[in-house]
Amino acid sequence: MTINGPAPMLLGFFMNAAIDQNCEKYIIENNLQTEVEERINEIYKKRGTTRPSYQGDLPEGNNGLGLMLLGVTGDQVLPADVYQDIKVKTLAQVRGTVQADILKEDQAQNTCIFSTEFALRLMGDVQEYFIKQNVRNFYSVSISGYHIAEAGANPITQLAFTLANGFTYVEYYLSRGMNINDFGPNLSFFFSNGIDPEYAVIGRVARKIWAKAMKNKYGANERAQMLKYHIQTSGRSLHAQEIDFNDIRTTLQALYAIYDNCNSLHTNAYDEAITTPTEESVRRAMAIQLIINKELGLAKNENPIQGSFIIEELTDLVEDAVLQEFDRITERGGVLGAMETMYQRSKIQEESLYYETLKHTGEFPIIGVNTFLSSKGSPTVIPAEVIRATEEEKQYQIDMLHHLHVTNENKVAEQLNIIQEAAINNQNIFEKLMEATKVCSLGQITGALFEVGGQYRRNM
């Protein structure tokens, strides 16, 4: 789940969907389908609104799990004790990641909606809820360098800013009384792999710095010392010109990631330079990973390039450069202090401009874009299929949102008041969001929290 600005609210929707899926399994296992369907029909008869339905055909191999309770929640059709038992078990087993990293939002991506202080508090509330509810397999935040790199940062800056942001979360969670060994395993990282040589060691340097700090400064146990990270190949390195060449770039970036022992990997589709990926381009992107992992002999060995001179040398050089950047951030009052003067944003923009200058002058060669052009020059190639939502699909979603507002009109005001009271009285807001997201829309919740948490304003 890679949601940014409104992440806590959408996480509430996600968790309730996971619980309802297990409710559906329980209903099927106990042959309660007819009884539940009658109950749902009664609910919608009273509401006088249209029940939402899945649009289109189910993908091949999909059994439609989760669609039985569309428009209602499990606690409306099952006994309270049964629902509560399912909820506890679901939260203990649900897996995933929420990309709620508000620091990189301010620094790079611009999808902030609340004040930074309030957004940090919401993130802390999510982590506190995870500890209280024993949510061990779900990462409460994906501390993201990917968007820092996509905004223009070079690999050193991406890594330094991301790790510094990670330590800022650690300090903030500790300040709220959380135990490092309780929340440490719920943190994960997300890096971009471009084409520069430093990307060959980005993971090992990150793990080295993180483990040292977690052990020696914070006294964390072995599990909390382990840095888990996801790699996505660089979207910024994809070009509309000679679009097929993007698969070659992605393959090389995937090799960096796999040789560097990333925990998970996303290989971009070649047509993402222009459009939402098509089924054909996604299959090609997946094939890159599969061929490396299943066919390439060297990739079947762990650490195949460990001990190589260039890898060891790059590791030392990158680590030293990252630590120097830490010093520059510290001189500016730490991550939050540096953000007040827009240090991170300015540095990212300068590096982006430098890259674009090298690209346009040809000093940084990009095959098929600024050098080794085809006989036709450097034409932009439009894919055969460009994915866009139809007007009919858009209108259906708008209508369903209207039905949701009408259906839950009486309960919405009550739930919005509860989350506002939680915010004002310093209670855990996410705990209340788990109930609010059963009846309120994203816009309604966001609007209510704006009134008590403050809207984001960029420092000038």
Side-chain angles (χ1 to χ4, degrees), residues 37 40 44 47 49-58 64 66-72 392-393 395-397 399-401 403-404:
E37 191 62 31
I40 295 172
Y44 269 90
R47 289 176 176 177
T49 55
T50 305
R51 184 180 173 188
S53 61
Y54 181 78
Q55 301 298 291
D57 299 322
L58 283 174
L67 299 181
M68 181 189 293
L69 300 181
L70 268 186
V72 297
E392 185 181 359
E393 289 168 334
Q395 193 56 50
Y396 179 80
Q397 296 302 327
D399 290 343
M400 281 301 105
L401 180 63
H403 288 313
L404 173 71

Side-chain angles (χ1 to χ4, degrees), residues 7 15 18 26 33 57 65 97 125-126 132 185 212 245 360 368 408 434 448 454:
M15 289 300 195
Y26 175 87
Q33 295 96 313
D57 299 322
L65 178 66
T97 306
D125 287 351
V126 169
K132 184 179 177 182
K212 283 180 182 177
F245 289 6
H360 286 288
N408 299 318
M434 283 291 289

Side-chain angles (χ1 to χ4, degrees), residues 208-225:
K208 194 175 177 183
I209 293 173
W210 187 257
K212 283 180 182 177
M214 294 295 274
K215 178 182 179 180
N216 298 327
K217 180 172 174 59
Y218 300 110
N221 62 22
E222 285 189 12
R223 186 162 181 255
Q225 291 170 32

